[in-house]
């Protein structure tokens, strides 16, 4: 078991205070968006070994079977299949979707054949993996997740009282679900400036005067103010506004459009960097490929809550993938929980102080601190506080 030294990514949408407040450090006024914990080559965590610092991806590459366990190695190959993050959002992220495994493999191969460098701004598929993800709120957390039903979309557009939107309302009311969502979403991504301006003004009015769904209108108004003139605002109106209380989460599968708007959370995902952006961004947008990947199906934006696992204090957040398994352990003074795993695991403290003990080491973690344990390493948790645990759920992720 090793303490992790992690990289903070300073994306412009990041909070200037949230991670510093959590970790008890001094904010320097710059945005701190994501704290990465894992072996992704873009920013692998480091381990302090007797021979000196080593990156986690290098440690795993040096002895994959011992670090990952045989079952994880067979299922995912010689790489850690998940990436864990602390996410601190102060401004809207880009409206985006992620590909499934088959789409990622084909897209990656095509862009390689085209000779597009992996770090090129116009590169879409930076690896051949899918990127299902889950976010669990540590503070009140807001986001957009999945399409509303066509009828619900039509109701919202009608509330704006703009004649220019009437053809889209008709399409939403008369066409089958997939065709309706595809037609209107596609049109909105290419909305002309005057229409974006008119919608912006009407959204601002709704945010001040609407009775129903006022919190959603306020969120859309915040998007318009943060991203003036961006047609992604119209696409955002078609998505559920989700508000999570601490401890609640949402899962985002392939092809589901989403955007995070505000708050602090724990995020876990398959280890990938494949993002197709729909709007609310100045980065590369590939409309043709985007519309091939988006799944035009209404989804409920279901809020997840953890369920008890075993006899200890561990609670698991359900997810329909095996690349990762996220759970939470909340300890009171004098209690302990033992975590067995045949797969590797990363533990991050999000409150209080927790002592981790294993066969070869003992570590004390405060908020924002994290540790890595290889496969087959039993870890005992004691103290008073909260820890999130990331491991693999391939039928062998935990005992």
């Amino acid at each position: 078991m090793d303490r992790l030294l992690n990289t903070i990514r300073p994306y412009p949408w990041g909070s200037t205070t949230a991670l510093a407040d959590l970790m008890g450090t001094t904010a320097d006024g710059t945005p701190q968006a994501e704290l990465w914990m894992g072996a992704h080559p873009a920013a692998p965590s480091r381990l302090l070994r007797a021979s000196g610092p080593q990156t986690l991806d290098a440690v795993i590459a040096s002895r994959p079977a011992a670090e990952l366990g045989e079952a994880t190695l067979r299922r995912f190959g010689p790489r850690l299949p998940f990436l864990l993050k602390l996410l601190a959002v102060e401004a809207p992220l880009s409206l985006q979707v992620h590909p499934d495994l088959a789409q990622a493999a084909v897209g990656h191969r095509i862009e390689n054949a085209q000779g597009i460098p992996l770090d090129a701004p116009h590169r879409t598929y930076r690896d051949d993996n899918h990127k299902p993800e889950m976010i669990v709120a540590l503070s009140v957390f807001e986001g957009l997740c999945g399409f509303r039903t066509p009828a619900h979309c039509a109701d919202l557009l009608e509330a704006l009282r703009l004649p220019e939107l009437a053809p889209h309302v008709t399409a939403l009311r008369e066409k089958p679900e997939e065709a309706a969502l595809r037609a209107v979403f596609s049109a909105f991504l290419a909305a002309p400036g005057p229409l974006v301006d008119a919608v912006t003004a009407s959204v601002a009015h709704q945010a001040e005067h609407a009775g129903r769904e006022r919190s959603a209108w306020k969120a859309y108004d915040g998007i318009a103010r943060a991203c003036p003139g961006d047609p992604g605002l119209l696409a955002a109106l078609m998505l559920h506004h989700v508000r999570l209380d601490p401890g609640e989460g949402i899962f985002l599968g392939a092809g589901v459009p989403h955007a995070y708007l505000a708050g602090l959370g724990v995020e876990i995902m398959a280890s990938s960097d494949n993002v197709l952006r729909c709007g609310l961004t100045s980065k590369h947008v590939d409309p043709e490929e985007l519309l091939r990947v988006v799944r035009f199906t209404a989804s409920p934006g279901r809020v997840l809550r953890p369920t008890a696992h075993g006899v200890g204090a561990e609670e698991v957040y359900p997810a329909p993938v095996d690349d990762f398994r996220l759970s939470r352990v909340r300890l009171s003074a004098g209690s302990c929980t033992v975590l067995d795993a045949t797969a590797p695991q990363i533990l991050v403290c999000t409150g209080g102080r927790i002592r981790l003990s294993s066969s070869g080491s003992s570590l004390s973690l405060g908020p924002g601190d994290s540790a890595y344990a290889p496969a087959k390493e039993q870890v005992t948790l004691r103290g008073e506080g909260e820890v999130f645990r990331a491991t693999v759920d391939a039928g062998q992720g935990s005992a």
Side-chain angles (χ1 to χ4, degrees):
M1 183 172 62
D2 291 272
R3 183 184 300 276
L4 293 178
L5 301 177
N6 304 304
T7 298
I8 293 178
R9 309 305 292 265
Y11 303 134
W13 49 261
S15 170
T16 57
T17 59
L19 285 179
D21 288 346
L22 175 74
M23 301 169 69
T25 58
T26 301
D28 62 6
T30 61
Q32 296 181 318
E34 298 181 350
L35 178 73
W36 285 30
M37 294 162 281
H40 194 285
S45 300
R46 290 167 292 143
L47 290 66
L48 291 178
R49 295 282 174 89
S51 57
Q54 300 180 47
T55 60
L56 182 54
D57 57 339
V59 168
I60 290 172
S62 68
R63 42 177 233 156
E67 296 292 334
L68 300 175
E70 292 291 348
T72 301
L73 180 61
R74 284 195 305 271
R75 172 68 180 85
F76 298 102
R79 62 183 180 184
L80 190 68
F82 61 84
L83 176 62
L84 184 65
K85 299 179 181 179
L86 291 180
L87 207 67
V89 182
E90 194 166 277
L93 277 69
S94 59
L95 187 62
Q96 59 190 261
V97 295
H98 305 304
D100 62 25
L101 271 171
Q103 292 164 340
V106 171
H108 186 65
R109 184 170 64 249
I110 289 173
E111 291 189 340
N112 282 347
Q114 293 172 340
I116 303 174
L118 287 176
D119 59 353
H122 62 290
R123 177 95 188 200
T124 297
Y125 294 97
R126 301 183 187 279
D127 53 65
D128 61 358
N129 201 15
H130 64 165
K131 194 186 175 187
E133 62 186 51
M134 179 188 292
I135 183 80
V136 173
L138 294 177
S139 69
V140 172
F141 195 96
E142 291 189 76
L144 306 175
C145 175
F147 284 113
R148 300 174 183 268
T149 64
H152 199 174
C153 291
D155 289 343
L156 257 70
L157 296 185
E158 282 188 331
L160 295 176
R161 301 182 182 276
L162 295 173
E164 304 97 308
L165 296 177
H168 304 302
V169 172
T170 299
L172 290 165
R173 297 223 185 269
E174 296 182 356
K175 291 186 176 183
E177 179 178 283
E178 182 177 353
L181 294 175
R182 178 183 291 275
V184 176
F185 191 78
S186 303
F188 281 176
L189 293 180
L195 178 58
V196 176
D197 292 341
V199 169
T200 297
S202 190
V203 165
H205 178 81
Q206 288 294 111
E208 290 299 321
H209 299 96
R212 294 182 57 196
E213 297 207 46
R214 189 171 182 183
S215 62
W217 287 116
K218 284 187 173 293
Y220 298 135
D221 183 47
I223 291 171
R225 294 174 186 274
C227 307
D230 194 312
L233 169 65
L234 280 73
L237 292 171
M238 300 179 68
L239 307 184
H240 292 283
H241 171 246
V242 180
R243 181 188 185 278
L244 303 177
D245 289 325
E248 295 180 334
I250 51 173
F251 173 82
L252 297 155
V256 177
H258 61 279
Y260 300 142
L261 304 179
L264 178 67
V266 176
E267 185 183 38
I268 190 168
M269 63 192 64
S271 188
S272 171
D273 198 25
N274 286 327
V275 178
L276 289 92
R277 295 175 176 86
C278 316
L280 312 183
T281 181
S282 59
K283 294 183 178 180
H284 174 63
V285 175
D286 183 345
E288 183 177 347
E289 183 66 10
L290 171 71
L291 294 174
R292 193 177 72 84
V293 169
V294 172
R295 296 182 179 178
F296 291 99
T297 303
S299 58
R302 185 167 66 94
V303 174
L304 303 176
R305 296 174 181 85
T307 57
H309 175 78
V311 297
E314 187 179 19
E315 302 172 297
V316 178
Y317 289 87
V321 296
D322 58 7
D323 305 72
F324 59 76
R325 175 181 178 275
L326 184 68
S327 60
R328 179 180 67 178
V329 178
R330 292 185 291 182
L331 294 174
S332 56
S335 63
C336 75
T337 288
V338 178
L339 302 176
D340 288 312
T342 56
Q345 55 186 315
I346 291 177
L347 302 166
V348 58
C349 179
T350 53
R353 183 154 293 275
I354 304 295
R355 177 160 290 279
L356 312 181
S357 302
S358 68
S359 59
S361 59
S362 178
L363 298 172
S364 178
L365 301 184
D369 294 336
S370 59
Y372 163 79
K376 301 181 181 179
E377 188 80 9
Q378 185 183 84
V379 181
T380 300
L381 280 61
R382 293 184 174 86
E384 185 173 5
E386 180 180 75
V387 167
F388 281 82
R389 178 200 194 198
T391 185
V392 179
D393 192 9
Q396 82 293 336
S398 65

